[in-house]
Amino acid sequence: MITYNTDGVKMPKIKKRDTTTWIRAVAYSYGKKVGDVGYMFVNDEKILEVNREYLGHDYFTDIITFDYSEGDTIGGDVVISLDTVKSNAQLFGKDYDEELHRVIIHGILHLCGINDKGPGERELMEEAENRALAMR
């Protein structure tokens, strides 16, 4: 089951049923099934708190993904800062809705096993995000 919740922000204007169908299709394209995935939309203050507490990082970010996947079933908690999504959309000249969906699927791609920290991985993640956005 995929759930969508908020902490300190209003729920973004996403079509939950359509978004859930899209997420399942993207996961399926990687040979994965979707188990329990919980999205939590927060503000910058909250994501900084989560980043410090759970990862020991002292900086803002747009997304933090906690992976609880087992075998071919993905599961996890995905924390997204709507403040950072908005500022990144402005910074990169992107539509807010597109940037939000890029970040939403970014977490799923992590759960599917795609990384973005090592050499050349960021480019692979961007390609995967673009393919996923085209499926929307």
Side-chain angles (χ1 to χ4, degrees):
M1 174 170 38
I2 300 173
T3 59
Y4 305 91
N5 295 289
T6 63
D7 183 352
V9 296
K10 288 177 21 181
M11 181 64 70
K13 294 179 181 173
I14 58 172
K15 296 178 179 171
K16 293 179 190 172
R17 184 172 291 140
D18 292 346
T19 301
T20 294
T21 300
W22 172 55
I23 288 168
R24 290 184 190 284
V26 170
Y28 181 78
S29 75
Y30 288 91
K32 306 289 185 179
K33 294 181 289 191
V34 177
D36 291 328
V37 175
Y39 280 92
M40 179 63 70
F41 298 103
V42 301
N43 57 25
D44 273 352
E45 183 179 310
K46 183 64 176 180
I47 206 157
L48 180 60
E49 178 184 315
V50 170
N51 215 3
R52 286 175 175 158
E53 183 174 343
Y54 293 97
L55 301 177
H57 299 159
D58 191 22
Y59 54 81
F60 296 102
T61 186
D62 52 356
I63 184 171
I64 299 173
T65 305
F66 296 96
D67 188 349
Y68 311 129
S69 301
E70 293 184 16
D72 66 349
T73 302
I74 64 169
D77 290 320
V78 182
V79 184
I80 295 175
S81 170
L82 296 180
D83 293 338
T84 299
V85 168
K86 182 178 181 181
S87 61
N88 282 349
Q90 292 170 344
L91 180 67
F92 300 122
K94 300 286 186 182
D95 176 73
Y96 172 78
D97 185 63
E98 180 184 341
E99 185 65 17
L100 177 59
H101 282 85
R102 180 178 296 278
V103 175
I104 286 170
I105 211 62
H106 183 94
I108 295 300
L109 293 170
H110 273 309
L111 297 178
C112 288
I114 299 173
N115 296 311
D116 61 355
K117 300 292 185 210
E121 290 180 340
R122 181 70 212 145
E123 293 79 7
L124 294 174
M125 175 61 85
E126 286 179 17
E127 289 172 18
E129 290 170 351
N130 291 335
R131 279 194 309 274
L133 286 168
M135 294 172 65
R136 219 173 116 225

